[in-house]
Amino acid sequence: MFVLFTTGCGLIGAQPAKPVVKVDVPQVDGGFVTGQSISMQVAAADSEGLARIDVQIDGQPYASVAADPNQQTFIVGQSWTPDVPGSHIIQAQAVNVKGVASDPVNVMVQVEALAQTQDVPAQPVDVVETEPVAETEPVAADVIEASAGDTLT
């Protein structure tokens, strides 16, 4: 005799289907630099419906965008402005309405420091010699006498 036990989800040990997610970071002429915005697009799909898309940058939560639970596909546009040069990892993960998360997808971007403006060498200045001017003593018309409590106008 053979007995097959099932649960509400199907066969015992069967894993529910995971959503899928994709991250697109378009390259820009000259590469990415600190202080300039990086645009990204995150797309997810799941036959059960999507709950949200979570984005992390360098392992830190950056954005969590809720989806309409009736949506089987969801596209989110995000931008991020790096302030530190180097390699950075943008990670996205989708979660469906049953709480099942996709495998995380990582995209690495290289960010260069914003080029500093070059110091322009100082142009020579023409020096014109003049005769020294003698210091003058103040004359009585230049001196104003005031007492404590007086208001000057």
Side-chain angles (χ1 to χ4, degrees), residues 67 87 94 106 111-112 117-118 122 137 144:
S87 295
N106 296 321
V111 176
E112 300 297 325
T117 56
Q118 297 293 326
E137 293 290 322
I144 299 174

Side-chain angles (χ1 to χ4, degrees), residues 67-122:
D68 178 336
N70 297 320
Q71 288 181 282
Q72 293 180 339
T73 59
F74 186 45
I75 299 173
V76 174
Q78 288 286 312
S79 63
W80 167 62
T81 304
D83 57 358
V84 176
S87 295
H88 298 278
I89 296 175
I90 299 170
Q91 182 183 79
Q93 192 169 32
V95 179
N96 70 14
V97 293
K98 293 186 175 183
V100 178
S102 69
D103 291 328
V105 172
N106 296 321
V107 173
M108 186 183 324
V109 294
Q110 184 64 35
V111 176
E112 300 297 325
L114 182 62
Q116 298 295 321
T117 56
Q118 297 293 326
D119 289 335
V120 179

